[in-house]
Amino acid sequence: MSKKKYYVVWNGRNTGIFDTWAECEKQVKGFQGAKFKSFPTKTEAELAFKGGSAPKSSSSKGRIKKQPVDLENEEVIWDSVSVDVGCRGNPGIVEYKGVHTKTGEIIFAHDEIHIGTNNMGEFLAIVHALAYLKQRGETTPVYSDSETAIKWVRSKKANSTLKRDKDTEYIWSLVDRAEKWLQTNAYENKILKWKTEKWGEIKADYGRK
């Protein structure tokens, strides 16, 4: 009898920990940029999933031999949504927007939030893009230049240290709502890291650097 395994899916139709290969396969088969790995114990799987990102390679034996790679991220996918944040201070005034990567056309934008952090704004922008695209039934990829925000989205938790008080109440209400959306919705959109060093500033950049 084969040993029991637990399967972690960081990027797939649904993310999380699955008890069988059949369930894992449903999430990753045919899903471009899928990231997953098997673990011998549930504890190891939970720790790996809470880490928020897949390891660069897989050392596990069996069906899953190699960690898939987002080859599409080597070149820009122009038919996509790019998001970015404008900050004045960190913490400070925060705003964000999403644009069509090819044309730069603004798809959505959030007005200035009195106080927040850059990472919280980046997190909200990605979730806003995912919700916007799901509402329209589109599986368009989403680009962000924030590794931290991408990690937060994949773990469905914004690990901000910003103090909760009257001044930060509004942005925290948005973050709480975004986390709830991630926990109750599945999406097929790939969330990709924008390679600033290779492609220049992300197309949603506010030009304030």
Side-chain angles (χ1 to χ4, degrees), residues 7-70:
Y7 301 87
V8 175
V9 177
W10 288 273
N11 197 20
R13 293 181 182 86
N14 290 290
T15 61
I17 300 171
F18 299 88
D19 293 339
T20 66
W21 166 247
E23 285 300 311
C24 175
E25 187 177 32
K26 288 179 184 178
Q27 316 311 323
V28 301
K29 187 175 182 180
F31 189 93
Q32 292 184 328
K35 289 183 173 62
F36 56 95
K37 185 181 177 182
S38 66
F39 293 87
T41 69
K42 191 169 185 179
T43 298
E44 289 179 75
E46 289 174 343
L47 288 172
F49 183 64
K50 287 178 181 178
S53 61
K56 293 181 179 179
S57 62
S58 171
S59 59
S60 61
K61 297 179 181 179
R63 294 178 185 267
I64 304 174
K65 295 182 179 180
K66 189 175 180 181
Q67 190 66 37
V69 177
D70 269 336

Side-chain angles (χ1 to χ4, degrees), residues 5 7-8 15 19 21 39 49 52 58 65 75-76 112 118 123 138 141 148 152 155 167 195-196:
K5 290 183 179 180
Y7 301 87
V8 175
T15 61
D19 293 339
W21 166 247
F39 293 87
F49 183 64
S58 171
K65 295 182 179 180
E75 298 297 336
V76 178
E112 292 183 349
N118 183 77
F123 172 78
E138 299 176 8
T148 297
W152 287 359
S155 64
D167 288 334
K195 296 185 176 181
T196 305

Side-chain angles (χ1 to χ4, degrees), residues 13-206:
R13 293 181 182 86
N14 290 290
T15 61
I17 300 171
F18 299 88
D19 293 339
T20 66
W21 166 247
E23 285 300 311
C24 175
E25 187 177 32
K26 288 179 184 178
Q27 316 311 323
V28 301
K29 187 175 182 180
F31 189 93
Q32 292 184 328
K35 289 183 173 62
F36 56 95
K37 185 181 177 182
S38 66
F39 293 87
T41 69
K42 191 169 185 179
T43 298
E44 289 179 75
E46 289 174 343
L47 288 172
F49 183 64
K50 287 178 181 178
S53 61
K56 293 181 179 179
S57 62
S58 171
S59 59
S60 61
K61 297 179 181 179
R63 294 178 185 267
I64 304 174
K65 295 182 179 180
K66 189 175 180 181
Q67 190 66 37
V69 177
D70 269 336
L71 295 178
E72 295 85 0
N73 205 18
E74 293 304 308
E75 298 297 336
V76 178
I77 301 174
W78 291 107
D79 186 15
S80 58
V81 174
S82 291
V83 301
D84 201 18
V85 167
C87 265
R88 292 200 287 277
N90 193 26
I93 295 174
V94 174
E95 60 185 317
Y96 68 78
K97 63 183 175 182
V99 307
H100 189 277
T101 304
K102 184 175 182 179
T103 66
E105 177 186 0
I106 296 176
I107 299 172
F108 61 82
H110 195 290
D111 292 337
E112 292 183 349
I113 300 167
H114 175 63
I115 188 167
T117 69
N118 183 77
N119 286 333
M120 293 171 87
E122 298 276 9
F123 172 78
L124 291 172
I126 297 173
V127 179
H128 192 143
L130 293 173
Y132 174 93
L133 292 167
K134 181 171 184 177
Q135 187 177 34
R136 287 156 180 75
E138 299 176 8
T139 57
T140 309
V142 177
Y143 277 110
S144 169
D145 61 8
S146 172
E147 291 183 3
T148 297
I150 292 173
K151 180 178 178 180
W152 287 359
V153 171
R154 288 178 175 165
S155 64
K156 304 178 183 181
K157 179 69 176 177
N159 292 317
S160 176
T161 58
L162 184 68
K163 184 179 179 181
R164 287 180 182 258
D165 56 27
K166 289 184 179 180
D167 288 334
T168 63
E169 182 178 2
Y170 180 60
I171 196 165
W172 270 115
S173 71
L174 297 178
V175 169
D176 290 342
R177 187 171 67 181
E179 289 178 348
K180 185 175 181 180
W181 188 93
L182 290 171
Q183 293 160 8
T184 56
N185 287 272
Y187 56 87
E188 296 186 21
N189 312 76
K190 290 177 291 185
I191 304 172
L192 303 175
K193 174 67 169 61
W194 181 265
K195 296 185 176 181
T196 305
E197 68 284 355
K198 183 177 181 181
W199 302 329
E201 295 296 341
I202 195 166
K203 301 306 178 182
D205 183 62
Y206 279 80

